[in-house]
Amino acid sequence: MTNYWADDYVDKKKDGPDAIAMIKRGQRVFIGSNCGEPQYLVKCLADKAFRFTDLEIVRTMSQERTSLSTIANKSDDQTLNIRSLYLGSAAPRAFATNRRFLTPINLSAVPRLFKSRRMPIHVALIQVAPPDDFGWMSLGVSVDITLAAAQSADLVIAQVNPRMPTIIGRSVLHVNDVDVVVEYEEPLLEVSPPPETAAAEEISLATYRLIEDGSTLHLDPGATPPSALIALRKKKDLGIHTEYVTDGIMRLVAEGVVTNRKKGLNEGKIVASSAMGSEDLYEFLNNNLSIDFQPSDYVNDPSIISQHNKMVSISIAEAIDLTGQVAADAFRHNNYIGVTGMLDFVRGSVRSEGGKSILIISSTDKDGAVSRIVPRLNDLAVVVPRGDVDYVASEFGMVRLFGKSIQERAMAMISLAHPDFRDELFAKAKEMELVSHSVSLSESLHGVYPVHLEEVRELGGQTVTFRPAKQVDLRRIQEHFYSLDREDVVSRFFHMRTKFLRDDLEGVYQMDYVKDLTIIALVGEIGFQDVVGVGSYVYEEPSNMAEVAFSISKDWQKRGLGKILMTKLADAAVKNGISGFVAFTKIANSGMIKLFNSLPYVVHSKNEANMATLKCKFDEVK
């Protein structure tokens, strides 16, 4: 006969020091991760640490409320040898001295590492909620790799904390599966929301335009500042499949933005492996039937991630080089294990139907003194290889690197850098032969990209994106001009041209986004769109006027494209302090004349030979 589990529970109870005394020299000890870390047990271990020799501590990168790394450093690793499962570089100064402890690995692979006994776990220190009436104890806010460690450990010591929420899913252990119980109540670790910055707000506005209604999201904990949540409130029927549930996600559920009705997999459920946030969040999760916590070999499995509808992963990069290689490190508001799971979600999301992987990066450090877009990563660890990178966003815009050449990538990344660093990056790109020596540094790389001019419209049942042109668009603008009919070429350039060389176009489109601005209309898949319309103005300093010119692809003429481009150019010119527009066109070009006259300003026209000169002042309203 076996004993009733409740009797076993009583027999297994010990105090913390006695439980830690069961650990033997030379053993490998796993410590529960993230906000589920058993703080009391870790403190007891630290108090007795110098009684041990050659303990190997296995954990994810930790903020260390109790610093085991300090003990390891003092003992020259002879007392404790720490193995941190972490894919980042540990570049932040606080962790650089402990870089030797890192074991780079994708989070989805860690449970297999434990269960296969390739890395045998001798002792697991975990934290659980009190048992239910049937003896089941929830791992609460930290299932991730903790479940696999507990299932494969020779000795399981569980801190039973009544403050740990019971969370539904594959997230429980039975009392029979635990060897020692230590009852100790203490607050769970909490993580404050990410700080709001001007850069974060700009990045949020650019990034969240890509998220469609009905998308399933993975959100890096640091990717949801208040501005991001405001942007997401406009979306409908979002789903969540992510590593972490945060306070931000909780608020989106409360506001009805997250419904999980259109995920395509696990519909109706928020699926995650951990939670990090406030006490309110932990209360929200407790016995919530809409929450489903699963271990990391499920949540982070790229094949599982890819089965979701319109799967979008948003992750934070620490540095990106000019070819697209990504380094990542996490900070206080952006837990460490998320870096280890980043590549899983990058690869899984792009395999989803309609899926996207978005990496966001602030162009400089918080002081603005160091560029986070660099020529090479050098000693920073590559977390996401260049071949896996899709979308990248900074406060200066967004680019898509998928399918782009090294030269296109370098120019795209320079456009995302802070203007103060672009000349230096461009010079380095030439020195490293990433770009041709014939490529010039366009003025657009000095200007601040006006993201507010971006707009998506539906025209005739087709989605058209209007936005300011970038240096990386020159090839597409070339293709647009090559596709024009003969008469459209003559109307645009006043003579027949059969060549539209890059050098010529760079001279035409030296955009600083203030005195010289080009807005393009694009159709098709983002990053591979066709230019179907080009409108530009070029500043004339003596008169404080700007000359405008347009070209529209044949299939898109007489569909309102030109009027939209003209209106956007005029609005930008007024904001930039330009006095008015002037246009030169053939008298026979009735379309251009009609377009100019559509402006809400008094138009003065003058005909000479077969040419018409059109002028308007923005202070002369019709």
Side-chain angles (χ1 to χ4, degrees):
M1 290 182 61
T2 58
N3 293 334
Y4 178 47
W5 70 263
D7 296 330
D8 283 345
Y9 180 88
V10 173
D11 293 340
K12 292 175 180 180
K13 287 171 60 174
K14 292 182 182 293
D15 63 16
D18 288 344
I20 295 301
M22 298 177 69
I23 300 173
K24 299 176 182 178
R25 295 181 177 88
Q27 288 192 318
R28 184 175 291 114
V29 180
F30 172 83
I31 296 177
S33 53
N34 305 309
C35 294
E37 178 183 311
Q39 301 166 73
Y40 174 64
L41 292 181
V42 174
K43 185 178 183 303
C44 292
L45 177 64
D47 290 342
K48 289 183 173 290
F50 288 101
R51 299 183 184 180
F52 295 107
T53 55
D54 296 319
L55 281 190
E56 180 170 277
I57 305 299
V58 178
R59 65 181 186 193
T60 56
M61 180 74 89
S62 170
Q63 294 180 21
E64 292 206 310
R65 304 296 172 93
T66 299
S67 182
L68 297 180
S69 294
T70 300
I71 296 171
N73 288 327
K74 285 182 178 178
S75 67
D76 197 23
D77 301 347
Q78 294 183 50
T79 295
L80 300 179
N81 172 29
I82 299 176
R83 183 186 294 270
S84 294
L85 305 172
Y86 184 63
L87 203 58
S89 64
R93 187 180 305 169
F95 301 103
T97 57
N98 299 318
R99 191 175 298 158
R100 68 188 187 279
F101 296 148
L102 301 186
T103 298
I105 189 170
N106 290 318
L107 197 63
S108 59
V110 176
R112 184 172 73 252
L113 184 69
F114 294 162
K115 291 178 181 178
S116 67
R117 303 288 287 184
R118 292 185 178 95
M119 183 183 288
I121 302 298
H122 302 119
V123 182
L125 304 182
I126 64 172
Q127 185 174 201
V128 296
D132 66 9
D133 291 342
F134 303 98
W136 293 101
M137 301 183 295
S138 173
L139 287 166
V141 300
S142 181
V143 178
D144 46 60
I145 61 174
T146 304
L147 179 63
Q151 290 174 333
S152 57
D154 300 327
L155 175 67
V156 179
I157 302 174
Q159 177 180 335
V160 177
N161 186 352
R163 298 201 189 189
M164 178 68 82
T166 294
I167 301 181
I168 310 301
R170 189 149 56 99
S171 57
V172 294
L173 290 172
H174 198 270
V175 169
N176 294 340
D177 299 320
V178 171
D179 300 291
V180 179
V181 169
V182 177
E183 292 183 335
Y184 192 88
E185 180 175 351
E186 62 183 341
L188 300 183
L189 289 171
E190 297 183 31
V191 177
S192 58
E196 182 73 297
T197 63
E201 184 173 356
E202 291 294 333
I203 294 170
S204 297
L205 292 173
T207 301
Y208 289 95
R209 285 192 183 98
L210 287 178
I211 297 175
E212 304 172 58
D213 292 343
S215 295
T216 304
L217 304 184
H218 157 70
L219 298 173
D220 188 302
T224 52
S227 57
L229 297 177
I230 291 170
L232 284 174
R233 283 174 188 159
K234 301 174 184 177
K235 307 297 179 181
K236 298 177 182 178
D237 285 325
L238 297 182
I240 300 294
H241 180 95
T242 191
E243 286 179 277
Y244 295 101
V245 179
T246 62
D247 285 73
I249 291 174
M250 175 181 67
R251 286 194 287 273
L252 292 174
V253 173
E255 292 168 3
V257 177
V258 169
T259 65
N260 297 296
R261 289 189 295 211
K262 297 185 178 181
K263 290 176 65 178
L265 184 68
N266 299 314
E267 292 187 342
K269 300 278 189 180
I270 290 175
V271 176
S273 60
S274 296
M276 52 180 291
S278 67
E279 188 176 349
D280 289 341
L281 172 66
Y282 303 148
E283 185 177 343
F284 164 77
L285 296 172
N286 189 47
N287 281 309
N288 188 332
L289 294 177
S290 70
I291 308 295
D292 184 6
F293 270 26
Q294 297 286 332
S296 295
D297 51 356
Y298 180 86
V299 172
N300 284 67
D301 185 341
S303 67
I304 297 295
I305 296 167
S306 68
Q307 295 178 45
H308 292 86
N309 294 329
K310 301 177 185 176
M311 184 74 213
V312 179
S313 70
I314 301 177
S315 304
I316 296 177
E318 176 65 14
I320 306 180
D321 73 15
L322 293 179
T323 69
Q325 295 186 115
V326 179
D329 278 297
F331 299 96
R332 195 162 197 80
H333 61 272
N334 185 32
N335 216 316
Y336 299 94
I337 201 168
V339 172
T340 304
M342 183 183 292
L343 186 56
D344 294 325
F345 275 91
V346 165
R347 288 178 169 169
S349 59
V350 297
R351 288 164 52 187
S352 162
E353 186 67 33
K356 304 177 183 76
S357 163
I358 306 170
L359 296 169
I360 62 179
I361 184 169
S362 177
S363 65
T364 66
D365 66 357
K366 64 180 180 179
D367 299 321
V370 178
S371 176
R372 287 184 169 166
I373 294 170
V374 297
R376 293 189 183 93
L377 289 185
N378 293 327
D379 62 337
L380 296 177
V382 176
V383 173
V384 182
R386 63 173 69 97
D388 289 298
V389 176
D390 196 7
Y391 295 90
V392 181
S394 79
E395 68 269 36
F396 295 106
M398 178 178 291
V399 297
R400 192 174 189 188
L401 300 188
F402 176 64
K404 301 299 187 292
S405 69
I406 292 295
Q407 177 166 289
E408 290 169 332
R409 285 165 173 259
M411 297 304 291
M413 291 307 303
I414 292 170
S415 75
L416 296 184
H418 191 284
D420 290 350
F421 295 97
R422 292 177 187 173
D423 283 320
E424 179 185 349
L425 289 169
F426 184 73
K428 283 289 186 182
K430 281 197 168 184
E431 180 184 315
M432 296 162 61
E433 298 185 340
L434 302 180
V435 301
S436 168
H437 286 279
S438 65
V439 176
S440 64
L441 184 59
S442 168
E443 287 299 317
S444 65
L445 293 185
H446 295 286
V448 176
Y449 179 78
V451 68
H452 65 276
L453 293 177
E454 291 187 353
E455 184 181 5
V456 177
R457 293 198 186 190
E458 292 291 325
L459 296 178
Q462 196 161 351
T463 300
V464 184
T465 300
F466 296 89
R467 63 165 174 79
K470 306 174 185 178
Q471 178 76 11
V472 292
D473 294 318
L474 283 177
R475 175 60 188 171
R476 282 185 280 191
I477 293 173
Q478 278 182 299
E479 292 171 349
H480 165 71
F481 286 138
Y482 277 116
S483 71
L484 294 177
D485 287 350
R486 177 187 177 91
E487 59 268 26
D488 292 328
V489 172
V490 174
S491 295
R492 172 62 181 81
F493 295 99
F494 305 119
H495 66 278
M496 184 57 199
R497 294 179 61 170
T498 58
K499 295 180 180 179
F500 303 94
L501 301 179
R502 183 186 182 94
D503 290 348
D504 296 337
L505 291 183
E506 284 184 334
V508 173
Y509 297 104
Q510 289 287 316
M511 304 158 289
D512 64 2
Y513 299 125
V514 177
K515 294 181 178 179
D516 302 290
L517 174 65
T518 297
I519 295 180
I520 54 179
L522 306 108
V523 296
E525 181 186 355
I526 295 175
F528 299 91
Q529 295 159 306
D530 295 322
V531 173
V532 295
V534 178
S536 60
Y537 72 64
V538 179
Y539 182 65
E540 297 177 349
E541 188 169 353
S543 62
N544 194 34
M545 302 279 281
E547 180 184 344
V548 292
F550 300 86
S551 65
I552 307 295
S553 297
K554 195 74 172 179
D555 294 343
W556 283 88
Q557 292 176 6
K558 298 181 180 180
R559 296 172 68 173
L561 224 58
K563 187 172 182 179
I564 295 171
L565 291 170
M566 175 66 94
T567 301
K568 284 187 167 295
L569 289 173
D571 290 345
V574 170
K575 185 175 181 179
N576 292 330
I578 295 172
S579 298
F581 278 166
V582 60
F584 303 97
T585 187
K586 291 183 178 293
I587 294 174
N589 189 356
S590 58
M592 179 61 187
I593 295 172
K594 182 179 179 181
L595 176 61
F596 202 93
N597 279 290
S598 70
L599 288 168
Y601 309 106
V602 176
V603 176
H604 304 277
S605 60
K606 180 181 177 181
N607 296 339
E608 188 174 333
N610 67 338
M611 295 295 294
T613 302
L614 308 170
K615 290 185 179 181
C616 70
K617 291 286 191 72
F618 297 143
D619 59 359
E620 297 179 0
V621 180
K622 289 179 181 178

